Amino acid sequence: MNGTLTFLGTGTSMGVPTLGCACAVCTSPDLRDRRLRPSVVVRWTEPASARHRVVLIDTGPDFREQALRAAINRVDAVLYTHSHADHILGLDDLRPLSFTAFRENGPIPLYATPETTLVLEHIFAYTFSPDATYPNRARVRIEPVAESNPIHGVNFLRVPVFHGDMEIVGYRFGSAAYLTDVSAIPEASFPLLEGLDHLVLSALRYKPHPSHATVDQAIGWARRIGARHTWLTHIAHELGHEATNQNLPDGIALAYDGLTVPVTL
Ligand SMILES: [Zn+2]
Ligand SMILES: [Zn+2]
């Protein structure tokens, strides 16, 4: 089955331009140097129902603007990678789309680990608490992330990765995989990443960081995994799009907001 993968945001947690910064990348006229917080959308048409399906990986603080830009007018599910603010804070902006989804299929499923669930239930207590009475709360329900998560004909496999000390979730779907906020990939996850056309890996900058991979670490994993195309995301303002891309090996490039690639699902 054919589908698409669109990068809704490719920036690190603070976004690029970074507030208060006047560096060359933050003031660059190149639109590919403007990076919203990291998230992707996977879209396809389900043969059984002929319905257009839309699955988000994370809903960051820029979700509303990203949905407008990418013409997202429905959401069938959200898969969360972890509970950091740059990956979850747009959950509330699912509200208008959740009202339509609710009439069709019930609440939108949000796939989350127990750890992410605790944070979502705390921050969005007015949505999830059994005592919630706010009438316009998002019509969503939390589903535990399993090893494989079938959603309207596409299987999203959980790929465990490390983000500093935290074990978080990457996803493989068809011939693509999305691994963000990675600082280490456990040996057991490599077999889940064989035969990829598109691999998305986070790479913050060149200088080491305790919980994010550098460009060179990402290149090392990209070579080992051997996807046809590797796209780097979760990018800080140290990396200018054009200059960085010129120094990357063939088959590896920085992603940018709005980039869409075809994927086999
Ligand atoms: Zn992040
Ligand atoms: Zn994070």
Side-chain angles (χ1 to χ4, degrees):
M1 186 159 53
N2 295 322
T4 59
L5 168 69
T6 298
F7 290 84
L8 299 176
T10 56
T12 186
S13 57
M14 290 189 270
V16 181
T18 300
L19 292 181
C21 181
C23 78
V25 176
C26 287
T27 56
S28 159
D30 186 338
L31 289 178
R32 297 167 304 175
D33 285 323
R34 296 186 75 86
R35 304 174 184 129
L36 297 177
R37 266 59 71 88
S39 168
V40 290
V41 62
V42 186
R43 296 189 261 204
W44 70 96
T45 300
E46 183 186 10
S49 64
R51 273 239 141 87
H52 180 54
R53 298 297 184 189
V54 180
V55 170
L56 300 166
I57 304 184
D58 292 332
T59 52
D62 299 314
F63 171 64
R64 179 178 171 280
E65 194 59 36
Q66 293 167 330
L68 291 169
R69 281 187 189 182
I72 292 173
N73 46 30
R74 60 174 291 126
V75 170
D76 291 283
V78 182
L79 298 156
Y80 284 104
T81 59
H82 67 300
S83 62
H84 286 162
D86 52 326
H87 298 261
I88 64 164
L89 284 187
L91 184 151
D92 201 62
D93 286 327
L94 290 170
R95 286 188 297 144
L97 300 175
S98 79
F99 303 146
T100 329
F102 185 74
R103 285 192 292 273
E104 238 179 63
N105 280 323
I108 298 177
L110 311 178
Y111 292 80
T113 60
E115 193 180 21
T116 299
T117 300
L118 277 179
V119 176
L120 293 179
E121 287 178 343
H122 176 72
I123 295 184
F124 301 102
Y126 59 91
T127 300
F128 295 109
S129 158
D131 309 322
T133 53
Y134 178 48
N136 291 330
R137 65 189 181 277
R139 297 327 193 238
V140 291
R141 66 183 156 84
I142 295 178
E143 281 284 320
V145 186
E147 269 180 42
S148 76
N149 306 274
I151 302 173
H152 298 296
V154 176
N155 204 3
F156 290 81
L157 297 176
R158 173 186 187 150
V159 181
V161 294
F162 281 95
H163 180 24
D165 294 337
M166 245 175 128
E167 189 191 306
I168 66 165
V169 186
Y171 294 96
R172 178 183 182 146
F173 35 101
S175 65
Y178 182 74
L179 310 181
T180 188
D181 293 61
V182 185
S183 56
I185 304 178
E187 227 18 71
S189 290
F190 283 97
L192 300 170
L193 300 168
E194 285 169 7
L196 293 175
D197 288 326
H198 294 280
L199 167 66
V200 184
L201 274 178
S202 56
L204 190 69
R205 59 189 189 198
Y206 286 105
K207 212 173 95 191
H209 183 282
S211 49
H212 289 282
T214 62
V215 172
D216 293 325
Q217 279 173 302
I219 291 172
W221 295 324
R223 287 200 162 122
R224 175 168 174 193
I225 294 164
R228 286 177 54 217
H229 305 278
T230 297
W231 303 102
L232 305 183
T233 189
H234 210 295
I235 308 159
H237 62 158
E238 283 91 339
L239 303 181
H241 187 87
E242 195 57 47
T244 308
N245 264 352
Q246 278 175 14
N247 290 316
L248 289 173
D250 281 354
I252 305 178
L254 296 190
Y256 54 87
D257 292 21
L259 170 68
T260 296
V261 296
V263 289
T264 308
L265 297 169

